[in-house]
Amino acid sequence: AKREGKNDLRFFAPELNAAAVERLDLEIRLKAALESGALELHYQPQFGAQSGELVGMEALLRWSDPELGPVSPDRIIPIAEDTGLIVPLGAWVLETACRQAAAWGFRVPVAVNVSPTQLIRPDFVETVRQSLARHAMPGAALKLEITERLAVRDPVLAAQRLEEVRQLGVRWSLDDFGAGHSGVASLLHWPLDEVKIDRSVIVGLGQDDKVQRVVVALLALARGLELPVVAEGVETQLQLDILRSLGCETVQGYLTGRPSPPEALTALLGHSADT
Ligand code: C2E
Ligand code: CA
Ligand code: CA
Ligand code: CA
């Protein structure tokens, strides 16, 4: 009986403003999409900045609603977090990425974004363990990306959960480093394996000398803690050249590869593998 469209919702809940109605409509559509298998993951390749070799794939959520068209994960994730849908959605993402990693023969680690709401749950570690087990996947073939938003809520629990997952051999990347929601506190208190400099920093690299000095400082911070760095959102050859000269380990961005459906990336892995 949950077939209400936009207009019906407005009828049943006239006190809702337009934004709230739109959100509720999206929530209903998203839930149906998850249940009917209409969600997809695309993967963006990561390359060694010096070697040019493929070193990883980041899984990114993709959803195209039949009526609304493509809906960005930046819209999907907040709604999923507010409604609790992030738990089954996150489990689906994890399971799908692990299945794909297995189909690729675990040639390179697959990175999965984890939202704070997922991590806080007591069954998170078990969810990860089960997805690994179902695909006979070594923990080292999985990376999880997290932002510092979590620390604000419960820093002690966060550190504990990260450590529990790490016991499985899974590695943690600090996402969005240098942007608003990931700073130095997480470097101090979390068991991390890598940091990713946010696209909002990289975008100005090569245009503004100040940006370059910030990148130098971020790299120095990471290096001081012996954490390798991924630069995200690399779009130009100049940015790549600068990052290479600064000793940044890994690059990811439109210059070297856009997020693409898994079939389109299979050739990059050097042998054929189909799901
Ligand atoms: P993020 O984790 O920081 O992912 C990087 C975003 O930058 C992705 O946007 C990617 O498509 C985009 N990007 C990568 N290289 C470039 C570039 O060179 N230029 C430009 N303009 N963009 C680039 P996307 O796929 O729209 O995802 C947005 C955010 O949504 C992600 O940011 C992540 O926070 C979240 N997200 C995506 N998939 C998932 C998921 O499965 N679970 C969770 N919890 N969050 C997800
Ligand atoms: Ca599908
Ligand atoms: Ca990410
Ligand atoms: Ca980012």
Side-chain angles (χ1 to χ4, degrees), residues 248-261:
C248 177
E249 282 79 4
T250 305
V251 291
Q252 175 180 355
Y254 289 178
L255 178 71
T256 48
R258 291 184 177 248
S260 310

Side-chain angles (χ1 to χ4, degrees), residues 58 145 147 175-177 179 181 196-200 232:
E58 179 179 4
E145 302 193 356
T147 72
D175 213 348
D176 297 350
F177 187 54
H181 29 256
K196 296 186 77 173
I197 299 182
D198 193 57
R199 180 159 61 89
S200 62
E232 176 189 273

Side-chain angles (χ1 to χ4, degrees), residues 4-11 18 21-22 25 29 68:
E4 297 98 328
K6 210 169 186 174
N7 296 329
D8 297 317
L9 282 171
R10 208 168 273 133
F11 176 76
V21 169
E22 196 191 320
D25 177 56
R29 289 171 187 269
L68 306 175

Side-chain angles (χ1 to χ4, degrees), residues 36-40 92:
S36 70
L39 300 182
E40 290 182 4
W92 177 84

Side-chain angles (χ1 to χ4, degrees), residues 9 17 20 27 36 39 50 75-76 190 210 215 227 246 264:
L9 282 171
N17 62 33
E27 180 193 336
S36 70
L39 300 182
Q50 315 298 329
R75 289 195 70 201
I76 301 171
W190 286 1
K210 250 190 196 166
V215 171
L227 296 172
L246 296 177

Side-chain angles (χ1 to χ4, degrees), residues 110-172:
V110 167
V112 172
N113 293 283
V114 171
S115 111
T117 318
Q118 283 173 272
L119 186 71
I120 288 288
R121 302 250 315 179
D123 58 358
F124 180 71
V125 183
E126 194 48 37
T127 306
V128 175
R129 192 200 315 276
Q130 283 175 11
S131 276
L132 292 174
R134 266 194 290 273
H135 303 286
M137 180 163 174
L142 181 64
K143 278 189 185 178
L144 298 178
E145 302 193 356
I146 191 87
T147 72
E148 203 179 81
R149 266 189 308 143
L150 175 69
V152 182
R153 290 200 229 162
D154 196 338
V156 177
L157 180 61
Q160 192 181 312
R161 270 293 182 282
L162 294 172
E163 191 48 50
E164 283 165 24
V165 173
R166 220 168 175 225
Q167 302 285 313
L168 304 172
V170 175
R171 284 164 292 171
W172 283 105

